[in-house]
Amino acid sequence: MQSLSSICKKLGRSSRFFVELAPSVGFSTSCYFCSQKKKKNPYQEVDQNKYSNLIRSIISTKISSQTPESLFQEDDLLYGPVSECKVQEQESGPIKNTILLLNPEKRNGSNTLTDSSVPLKIPLQKNKMPSVTRILQQTMTAKQILTLERWKQKMILELGEDGFAEYTSDIFLQGKHFHEALEAMLSSQEQLKELDEKTISSGYVASVQHVLKDLSGVRAVESAVHHETLKYLGLMDCVAEYRGKLCVIDWKTSEKPKPFIRNTFDNPLQVVAYVGAINHDANYNFEVQCGLIVVAYKDGSPAHTHFMDSELCCQYWPKWLLRLEKYTEREKNQTTPNPD
């Protein structure tokens, strides 16, 4: 029979064993439940450096830190830059007019001038017919209007109202002098002598020198044209042969490069409108099947040329007819009195 002291010692050892285990089990269980209940703070994962400027701008002032310029930047960031309107995406729908771009009657005629050395220059007379420029301006798409308005607002932010007015005036005068120089260079040496050296040596004129070398057989310069059937008119820059192809040539000026025809917005429609008009104008006894857009640059860098062959002109012609129909319909609705 074991003594009482030995039994107590055994119980003591057993008791210490369980006492030691209990806190261990209890501690591990407590940590498990705490880890389930405790949630990570999402703000701790935010890149503080990335948003530090935003945070400082918010807490540094009680008024809005937005300015018109910042709104434009925010707009570009959220929605991207305004996409340039492609002519191919602008117009769709049936065409009421079935007038052809080309004129078989002129094609079967002489197609030559009596004196090809003297380019035609028919003056633009007052007429109730709308001009090509007016038709295109009045039928711009919503995207085109938005693009122009945003550009205008950004320029005003940079230059101010007076500065923007002066800027547009300078652009107009530069374009006018550029066209005067080209008219003189393509018409006669006498007109060329009348121009001052500054106009002749401008960057725009230098920009088109390589194009002028490819021109020959000038038929018309700064000459008015009208479509006898469709009833619209315009003032063409030039009709001449470009690398052997008779073209309606439209001279444009730009401060930014326009290497692709899609960068010229509605200029192809303007060219085909003149092509169609000249083919149906009795003042011209020749037919034109091609067009050429020449974009000259102020810094004198080589101008970009966009040649429009007969096939491409025929693709743009229906789009011009749709714009013309849209303009005619709008004018009709404005002149028709509303019923009481």
Side-chain angles (χ1 to χ4, degrees):
M1 186 176 181
Q2 295 180 350
S3 65
L4 181 61
S5 61
S6 62
I7 295 174
C8 289
K9 288 180 180 180
K10 289 181 178 181
L11 290 175
R13 287 196 296 268
S14 299
S15 176
R16 283 197 303 270
F17 176 76
F18 285 108
V19 169
E20 291 174 358
L21 284 179
S24 175
V25 173
F27 177 78
S28 61
T29 305
S30 175
C31 290
Y32 174 79
F33 283 110
C34 286
S35 63
Q36 289 292 315
K37 293 180 181 180
K38 186 176 181 180
K39 295 181 179 180
K40 294 183 178 180
N41 188 343
Y43 295 102
Q44 294 177 350
E45 300 178 358
V46 175
D47 188 344
Q48 298 293 335
N49 294 329
K50 182 177 180 180
Y51 297 102
S52 59
N53 292 334
L54 176 61
I55 295 172
R56 282 197 297 269
S57 66
I58 293 175
I59 64 177
S60 63
T61 178
K62 294 182 180 180
I63 62 175
S64 175
S65 62
Q66 288 183 320
T67 63
E69 185 175 6
S70 68
L71 288 174
F72 280 121
Q73 293 175 352
E74 179 181 323
D75 183 66
D76 288 341
L77 178 63
L78 294 176
Y79 306 107
V82 177
S83 60
E84 295 177 348
C85 305
K86 298 180 181 180
V87 176
Q88 291 83 350
E89 299 175 354
Q90 290 179 1
E91 322 298 339
S92 62
I95 303 174
K96 298 178 182 178
N97 293 319
T98 57
I99 305 299
L100 298 177
L101 172 67
L102 306 179
N103 189 344
E105 295 182 2
K106 286 191 176 183
R107 192 181 314 166
N108 297 330
S110 61
N111 202 30
T112 57
L113 290 175
T114 304
D115 186 0
S116 59
S117 62
V118 180
L120 286 173
K121 186 179 180 180
I122 300 174
L124 186 62
Q125 300 177 352
K126 292 183 178 181
N127 198 303
K128 293 184 179 180
M129 294 183 186
S131 67
V132 173
T133 302
R134 176 177 175 81
I135 293 169
L136 292 175
Q137 287 178 345
Q138 294 294 321
T139 58
M140 287 192 301
T141 64
K143 286 185 178 180
Q144 288 176 312
I145 295 174
L146 177 61
T147 300
L148 290 176
E149 183 60 27
R150 287 177 63 174
W151 171 82
K152 178 181 177 181
Q153 293 301 324
K154 289 183 179 181
M155 292 299 292
I156 291 176
L157 284 172
E158 294 178 5
L159 306 176
E161 291 282 355
D162 295 338
F164 178 71
E166 183 178 355
Y167 170 81
T168 53
S169 177
D170 289 342
I171 292 295
F172 173 78
L173 288 177
Q174 290 173 12
K176 181 181 178 181
H177 295 327
F178 172 59
H179 280 78
E180 290 175 350
L182 288 175
E183 180 183 354
M185 297 172 70
L186 296 171
S187 298
S188 64
Q189 292 296 324
E190 293 182 0
Q191 293 186 26
L192 188 59
K193 293 178 181 179
E194 296 177 359
L195 294 177
D196 57 77
E197 185 65 25
K198 183 179 179 181
T199 300
I200 299 174
S201 60
S202 69
Y204 292 122
V205 174
S207 179
V208 299
Q209 287 301 315
H210 70 289
V211 181
L212 297 177
K213 294 178 181 179
D214 292 328
L215 296 186
S216 61
V218 181
R219 305 289 186 91
V221 177
E222 295 295 329
S223 188
V225 64
H226 75 281
H227 200 296
E228 297 173 350
T229 305
L230 296 177
K231 306 299 181 184
Y232 67 84
L233 53 79
L235 187 65
M236 301 181 300
D237 290 343
C238 179
V239 178
E241 293 183 9
Y242 174 71
R243 297 179 178 177
K245 298 288 186 180
L246 189 62
C247 302
V248 170
I249 303 175
D250 199 29
W251 308 103
K252 298 296 182 184
T253 60
S254 176
E255 295 182 355
K256 294 182 179 180
K258 294 185 178 181
F260 305 106
I261 194 170
R262 65 173 178 268
N263 302 134
T264 63
F265 299 99
D266 281 340
N267 294 156
L269 299 183
Q270 184 179 16
V271 169
V272 295
Y274 292 155
V275 171
I278 202 172
N279 290 336
H280 295 84
D281 189 332
N283 293 311
Y284 303 90
N285 64 347
F286 53 87
E287 183 190 53
V288 181
Q289 298 185 12
C290 304
L292 181 69
I293 301 172
V294 182
V295 185
Y297 301 112
K298 186 177 181 179
D299 61 359
S301 57
H304 280 113
T305 56
H306 305 292
F307 177 71
M308 301 171 62
D309 60 13
S310 179
E311 182 180 355
L312 186 58
C313 286
C314 288
Q315 291 178 13
Y316 277 101
W317 178 245
K319 303 177 190 302
W320 159 250
L321 293 180
L322 282 173
R323 296 285 285 269
L324 178 60
E325 290 178 2
K326 182 178 179 181
Y327 174 84
T328 304
E329 188 68 23
R330 180 178 297 179
E331 290 295 306
K332 181 180 178 181
N333 293 337
Q334 290 179 354
T335 56
T336 303
N338 294 327
D340 295 333

